[in-house]
Amino acid sequence: MEPPVRLASTGTIIHGVSVGEVLGVSTLAEARLIAGESGLGRIVQRLNVMEVPDILAWVKPHELLLTTGYPLRNTPQSLGRLVADLDDRGLAALAIKLGRYVDELPEEMVEQADRLGFPLILLPNDVGFDDILNQVLTDILNRQAADLLRAEEAHRALVQVVLAGGGLNEVTAEVAGLLDVAVAAVDGSGRMLAAAGPPDHLAALRESISHEGPPAPAAAAGRGQSYAAVPVVAGGHHHGRIVAYSPQGNIRDSDIGILERAATVAALVVTRQEAVNAVESKYRADFLRDVLTGRAGTAERITTRARAFGWDLERPVTVLVAELDPDGDERTAQDRLITSWTAAMRRHDPRGAVAGFSHEVVAVIHAAVDAARVAKDAASAFADMLPATFSTGSSRPCPGADSLPEAYAQALKAARVGRQLHGRGAVAHFDQLGVYRLLSLVNDTGELHAFVRETLGPLASDDDAENADLRRTLQVLLETNLNVAETARRLHFHYNTLRYRIGKLERLLGNFTDDPHLRLNLTLALHVLRMRGI
């Protein structure tokens, strides 16, 4: 699995020194660790002195607590619970002077400290608390100043990368150099966009991201970690993450502060690239629209400009139109529609043209490519936008750019008639429309409705539940060319039952069994009824 994402901080960087480093200061040269050695990596950010009985109400996480045991002088049994209480509150360690108020620590307390990894430190009697406070706090402040200076230097270096026109490759390279770790920029789907760092570390990071393998074991508290990730957010949208990996567990909290700054700079890069892409997309869409409407100029000019976009319009091609179905949220769905079709085109025909218009996407692909497969892949990528859907129409193959306007009209017609016939999400080819192509040319839908009413009479409506059943019988009779036996078989009727129904239909509609013109009208009326949205 990928490393967990650390939420970006508000600007406060956590600083401190480990308990092990505290024991190295000169004032504690004679101090001795009694228990909790596994917790030497705990971070000390502040110090406190325990000389009142209710100290637990005042302690804070990452504190080194100093005491002479004075509050516990009359209740030494309280020492047995003290370690667990301090550990629950996130303290770093307890340092105590023995001999004045408390002679020795209970064995239970020492065992519990070892079990919890909570350091217990025996302080020398000749060292004052003020000396310890001054020296340790000075070390913490110096560490904080150094980390802040390092972060500011990193920020300046990263901003300079952007000002110099650098992209994600340069940002990851800069961070990898600053932290001496492998760094990658990953998009929202987990695809690595850029990476830098030591080759062997980078290989492990790439393997983890691509195969979602288990992360390395977490490092001891305060001693750094092996993985870290921070989100890249721009314009309120999550664009991915900056991920770092160090097999030695060298990534510290101060390094994560630098990763957060890198994520901010990466967001600037992403925003800049999106602006560039938006302009380029508009140029591509404007040019393709001109081509499809016959306003792009000569064939030579079209070929030259198409090549500049990486398109090949000189070969035999097919035009596909993907049109958003009504009642969807076009504002959000249109961007996803373009992304889905662009990805599908990249897989099936990298030299094909694709661009988004107001509520549709048009793709021009090689005639040899399976258009239905491209539409299916695009629909799969678009599926998470449900309930939004789109209908797709496919044109006849055309030999080149000169015939693209006609092919575009065919694809657009196929998409819209296909939706009328099959509903939302339909996929239709122009050559499969048949008579529906002609019916779709009738702009006066009122005239079509009148034709249906005049031809089918009472069967044109569903006021009576029997009407739909009789229409189905009529449709199958017409499809079988009045073959009564075949119609009875398809409808699972007895022969005599079907004969009775035919008689009823002729009383309602006329003698269609003997009138081929009436049969044609009835067939057309049923086709019109099948078309939706007229």
Side-chain angles (χ1 to χ4, degrees):
M1 58 184 293
E2 291 188 33
V5 175
R6 171 191 168 111
L7 296 178
S9 73
T10 57
T12 301
I13 302 176
I14 299 174
H15 302 285
V17 294
S18 68
V19 175
E21 291 171 317
V22 169
L23 289 175
V25 301
S26 59
T27 55
L28 296 178
E30 302 300 323
R32 181 166 59 90
L33 182 69
I34 301 174
E37 182 176 4
S38 62
L40 288 178
R42 293 185 181 222
I43 295 298
V44 177
Q45 293 178 303
R46 54 181 67 87
L47 289 87
N48 199 352
V49 177
M50 175 185 176
E51 297 299 357
V52 293
D54 60 342
I55 188 64
L56 289 176
W58 305 98
V59 297
K60 297 178 181 178
H62 301 294
E63 276 187 345
L64 170 59
L65 190 59
L66 308 175
T67 184
T68 61
Y70 178 79
L72 305 171
R73 66 192 185 281
N74 296 323
T75 57
Q77 64 275 14
S78 301
L79 289 170
R81 298 190 304 270
L82 184 60
V83 167
D85 291 338
L86 297 179
D87 183 67
D88 286 342
R89 287 163 174 76
L91 267 71
L94 174 65
I96 188 169
K97 288 185 178 182
L98 296 178
R100 181 173 299 181
Y101 301 108
V102 176
D103 293 328
E104 61 180 5
L105 299 180
E107 188 65 28
E108 176 190 356
M109 182 179 185
V110 175
E111 291 176 357
Q112 192 172 54
D114 276 328
R115 186 171 64 253
L116 297 174
F118 184 84
L120 290 179
I121 302 169
L122 178 61
L123 296 174
N125 289 323
D126 58 348
V127 176
F129 284 172
D130 58 339
D131 293 330
I132 298 175
L133 290 168
N134 287 335
Q135 193 166 17
V136 174
L137 287 176
T138 297
D139 280 0
I140 291 175
L141 292 174
N142 288 340
R143 178 72 59 85
Q144 178 168 316
D147 285 343
L148 287 173
L149 179 60
R150 179 170 174 252
E152 288 301 321
E153 290 175 348
H155 181 71
R156 284 195 295 270
L158 290 167
V159 169
Q160 188 58 41
V161 166
V162 177
L163 294 178
L168 292 177
N169 286 322
E170 290 73 18
V171 170
T172 54
E174 187 70 30
V175 177
L178 288 169
L179 304 183
D180 193 25
V181 297
V183 179
V186 182
D187 67 12
S189 63
R191 183 168 60 96
M192 190 179 292
L193 304 176
D200 53 338
H201 300 177
L202 195 57
L205 178 58
R206 184 178 288 108
E207 181 87 10
S208 174
I209 293 173
S210 61
H211 295 92
E212 297 187 358
R223 292 181 179 175
Q225 58 197 72
S226 295
Y227 283 85
V230 295
V232 176
V233 180
H237 298 288
H238 189 288
H239 294 277
R241 64 195 70 188
I242 299 291
V243 184
Y245 169 67
S246 170
Q248 294 83 18
N250 292 333
I251 303 175
R252 298 180 179 273
D253 284 332
S254 59
D255 296 333
I256 294 180
I258 292 177
L259 290 176
E260 290 172 351
R261 292 172 185 251
T264 301
V265 172
L268 293 175
V269 172
V270 170
T271 303
R272 181 186 65 191
Q273 189 59 47
E274 284 185 341
V276 172
N277 291 341
V279 174
E280 291 181 348
S281 294
K282 183 179 184 305
Y283 280 128
R284 285 195 296 267
D286 289 346
F287 171 62
L288 186 57
R289 184 184 288 108
D290 288 343
V291 172
L292 297 176
T293 54
R295 299 197 304 264
T298 64
E300 182 179 357
R301 182 174 181 271
I302 291 174
T303 299
T304 301
R305 290 197 63 186
R307 284 175 180 169
F309 291 124
W311 301 342
D312 183 358
L313 301 183
E314 296 180 280
R315 55 190 179 162
V317 294
T318 300
V319 176
L320 296 174
V321 171
E323 190 177 49
L324 286 172
D325 293 323
D327 304 325
D329 186 351
E330 290 191 8
R331 184 178 56 184
T332 57
Q334 178 66 11
D335 290 341
R336 183 64 179 174
L337 185 66
I338 296 172
T339 302
S340 302
W341 274 89
T342 301
M345 288 289 291
R346 190 183 298 119
R347 286 193 299 273
H348 292 277
D349 186 8
R351 294 191 299 159
V354 60
F357 299 160
S358 59
H359 61 287
E360 68 187 27
V361 170
V362 179
V364 182
I365 64 173
H366 195 292
V369 175
D370 186 349
R373 180 64 182 171
V374 177
K376 183 178 179 181
D377 284 359
S380 296
F382 187 77
D384 60 357
M385 284 299 298
L386 292 174
T389 57
F390 64 86
S391 297
T392 305
S394 176
S395 74
R396 293 170 174 163
C398 64
D402 290 341
S403 53
L404 280 174
E406 181 182 357
Y408 171 61
Q410 293 173 359
L412 192 59
K413 178 70 69 177
R416 293 177 179 176
V417 175
R419 182 189 298 114
Q420 287 180 312
L421 294 177
H422 308 296
R424 298 162 62 93
V427 178
H429 192 285
F430 183 74
D431 282 340
Q432 297 172 345
L433 299 181
V435 70
Y436 297 105
R437 230 167 62 214
L438 299 177
L439 293 174
S440 68
L441 297 176
V442 181
N443 294 324
D444 189 348
T445 58
E447 186 64 30
L448 286 176
H449 285 297
F451 172 74
V452 171
R453 289 193 300 271
E454 292 168 4
T455 305
L456 294 179
L459 298 187
S461 69
D462 289 327
D463 294 340
D464 189 331
E466 188 183 12
N467 289 346
D469 195 29
L470 286 173
R471 282 202 309 268
R472 172 63 178 158
T473 301
L474 176 63
Q475 180 178 334
V476 177
L477 276 169
L478 295 173
E479 288 175 355
T480 61
N481 198 24
L482 302 183
N483 187 323
V484 178
E486 175 63 17
T487 300
R489 187 189 66 79
R490 288 192 189 182
L491 296 176
H492 306 289
F493 287 161
H494 189 276
Y495 186 85
N496 291 334
T497 301
L498 183 57
R499 280 294 182 186
Y500 169 77
R501 283 180 170 244
I502 291 174
K504 187 171 185 177
L505 284 170
E506 290 198 316
R507 287 192 297 274
L508 291 171
L509 304 174
N511 188 19
F512 65 88
T513 56
D514 293 326
D515 187 345
H517 295 291
L518 177 56
R519 289 200 298 273
L520 175 61
N521 287 343
L522 291 172
T523 301
L524 288 175
L526 290 173
H527 282 324
V528 173
L529 270 184
R530 190 182 173 196
M531 296 177 69
R532 311 174 189 207
I534 61 170

